[in-house]
Amino acid sequence: MPDSTHAPRAVRHSQTTLTELMIPAYANFGGKIHGGTLLSLMDKVAYACAAKHAGEYCVTVSVDGVNFRQPVEVGELVSLMGSVNYVGRTSLVVGIKVIAENVKTGVVKHTNTSYFTMVAKNEAGEPTEVPPLLLETPDDARRFLEAMKRKELRAAYSQHFDNARTAMLLQENMAALAGERCVVGF
């Protein structure tokens, strides 16, 4: 149920696109754009979307799904398209689609999609409530539902992993290291 202190804001209200030319200073020794450079740009877009929706300063809490599908080359135009996909009480999930365009050939490639969880902060630096998200299209609703499912799966995975880690006893599991790319030195 939406709160009464904030009017809902539409997804389109905070959608943001950042386009930047990839220059040689952004490249690694292999001539490809550093993943960290792309992550920094994604973080900027996530902040812009979250802050526009919340009307407050926002900080990055986590990043899900940073898988680089294809390399980005020097000279390509990279566009990062972000939108708020989900809001909780003080948190927002911003989905970011990254594409790279070779301006000479016109070839456009989807390099990755990532999800940034942001939290709105008030002037005292404390988490503060954000407006509800107005879902105006079927895509808006689908993205909200997908974010809910990712949140549910992340929580289940976290609990499962914590239980497995707690239950794992070193001596009983040493045999699992056989055939792995590690050397036990104790």
Side-chain angles (χ1 to χ4, degrees), residues 42-44 46-47 57-63 116-119:
M42 287 186 276
D43 195 47
K44 288 177 187 178
Y47 171 80
Y57 177 70
C58 294
V59 296
T60 305
V61 173
S62 69
V63 181
F116 282 62
T117 300
M118 312 292 287
V119 168

Side-chain angles (χ1 to χ4, degrees), residues 43-74:
D43 195 47
K44 288 177 187 178
V45 171
Y47 171 80
C49 290
K52 284 170 70 174
H53 180 85
E56 301 281 353
Y57 177 70
C58 294
V59 296
T60 305
V61 173
S62 69
V63 181
D64 288 349
V66 181
N67 298 311
F68 297 103
R69 299 170 169 209
Q70 298 185 60
V72 176
E73 309 286 341
V74 170

Side-chain angles (χ1 to χ4, degrees), residues 11-80:
V11 171
R12 63 185 160 75
H13 169 79
S14 59
Q15 286 178 323
T16 302
T17 299
L18 172 66
T19 301
E20 187 160 338
L21 175 66
M22 296 295 104
I23 61 174
Y26 297 168
N28 60 26
F29 291 113
K32 310 299 182 200
I33 301 304
H34 282 286
T37 298
L38 295 170
L39 279 169
S40 177
L41 292 170
M42 287 186 276
D43 195 47
K44 288 177 187 178
V45 171
Y47 171 80
C49 290
K52 284 170 70 174
H53 180 85
E56 301 281 353
Y57 177 70
C58 294
V59 296
T60 305
V61 173
S62 69
V63 181
D64 288 349
V66 181
N67 298 311
F68 297 103
R69 299 170 169 209
Q70 298 185 60
V72 176
E73 309 286 341
V74 170
E76 291 182 328
L77 284 178
V78 169
S79 293
L80 304 98

Side-chain angles (χ1 to χ4, degrees), residues 110-121:
H110 176 200
T111 64
N112 67 300
T113 298
S114 300
Y115 303 95
F116 282 62
T117 300
M118 312 292 287
V119 168
K121 300 279 188 152

